Amino acid sequence: MMKWLELLSKHKVVLIIVFCLVNQISANDGIEINFLNKVSQSQKTQIIAIAHQNTHSLSKALQSIEWIETFEIQKTIFGKTLLQISAKIPLLVLNDTFFVDKSMNFYEVHEFEDDLLRVNCPEYLFKDIFYLINNVQEILNFSLKTINYDVIEGWHLFSHSMQIKLGHSPSFDELETLTKTMEYLYSNRKFPSIIDLRSSSGVAIQYVQ
């Protein structure tokens, strides 16, 4: 009799453990979220906070989030929700306030990597940013780190080791001059600290120790 009671007691313990595990999976595994590209921790937290809404409410909430490029909500035959999210990929950080992607979409800044291009300029010059990036980056064999606009001196472009001063409205001729200057510097293995293209008399090159 005692052996039978001991055996029954063991089975009860096993049943209780299994029941608890099943409930835990059911409660915590009702939705699976897949991010198809890199997102920040704050972006993940934002999605997790709204993920347990019904499909209609979740879809509406996701549509209002600016950094989402596309999303898809699926329901399995077991009632599980599958959520896939593709984030917009920022090309630069503008005025420490907005991300800007390749389609010139502006959306709120989250955490970002140090190697992401940072641009600081007045709003009325936003249209000039991509002109500078597309044209100047082709000339250089290194990545730009920062682009700043100064109301007195104009555009300043920075890499990790070089500064290029372009003036207020870089023309085709100035960009052509920059191209020839960089070709000369590369061929002669010269690495100046500052290249100043603002003077009509020529290019000023400065080496800073």
Side-chain angles (χ1 to χ4, degrees):
M1 182 71 176
M2 290 295 295
K3 289 183 178 180
W4 184 83
L5 289 173
E6 288 176 2
L7 184 63
L8 180 61
S9 177
K10 289 179 181 178
H11 279 295
K12 283 182 177 179
V13 171
V14 171
L15 287 172
I16 290 170
I17 292 173
V18 170
F19 178 78
C20 290
L21 288 173
V22 169
N23 271 0
Q24 185 178 14
I25 293 170
S26 175
N28 296 331
D29 208 33
I31 184 164
E32 180 180 321
I33 305 171
N34 294 322
F35 295 97
L36 303 181
N37 47 12
K38 188 175 182 180
V39 297
S40 67
Q41 187 57 50
S42 64
Q43 288 171 314
K44 290 179 182 178
T45 302
Q46 184 180 13
I47 298 303
I48 291 170
I50 64 173
H52 295 281
Q53 301 181 52
N54 62 55
T55 301
H56 176 74
S57 298
L58 177 57
S59 177
K60 192 172 181 179
L62 292 170
Q63 288 174 15
S64 68
I65 297 177
E66 293 181 321
W67 58 264
I68 293 179
E69 183 74 36
T70 61
F71 67 87
E72 184 178 6
I73 305 172
Q74 298 177 341
K75 282 283 188 179
T76 70
I77 58 174
F78 303 106
K80 184 176 181 177
T81 300
L82 300 177
L83 173 58
Q84 295 197 109
I85 294 177
S86 177
K88 294 173 182 174
I89 300 175
L91 293 181
L92 57 92
V93 181
L94 181 61
N95 295 337
D96 292 325
T97 304
F98 299 106
F99 283 137
V100 184
D101 69 6
K102 62 182 180 180
S103 300
M104 290 198 73
N105 294 309
F106 292 69
Y107 52 103
E108 185 180 354
V109 161
H110 295 266
E111 300 102 304
F112 56 88
E113 303 293 335
D114 286 339
D115 60 355
L116 194 60
L117 176 63
R118 301 179 74 167
V119 178
N120 299 285
C121 72
E123 185 176 346
Y124 67 90
L125 291 173
F126 286 176
K127 60 182 175 59
D128 295 335
I129 295 169
F130 278 78
Y131 172 80
L132 283 173
I133 293 172
N134 292 334
N135 287 279
V136 174
Q137 194 63 72
E138 288 183 5
I139 299 170
L140 308 176
N141 68 349
F142 51 81
S143 297
L144 293 171
K145 181 74 174 174
T146 308
I147 298 176
N148 293 333
Y149 183 82
D150 181 271
V151 293
I152 297 175
E153 297 189 343
W155 292 102
H156 290 202
L157 284 60
F158 298 85
S159 71
H160 286 285
S161 59
M162 185 183 297
Q163 178 183 2
I164 300 173
K165 299 180 179 183
L166 286 176
H168 290 276
S169 300
S171 65
F172 174 82
D173 290 339
E174 286 173 324
L175 294 178
E176 184 67 21
T177 300
L178 177 60
T179 300
K180 292 178 180 178
T181 302
M182 296 309 298
E183 288 174 351
Y184 167 79
L185 293 171
Y186 292 149
S187 63
N188 290 275
R189 299 186 59 80
K190 294 180 179 292
F191 305 100
S193 301
I194 300 173
I195 299 175
D196 193 340
L197 296 159
R198 296 172 300 163
S199 174
S200 58
S201 59
V203 180
I205 295 176
Q206 183 177 353
Y207 295 85
V208 179
Q209 296 296 328

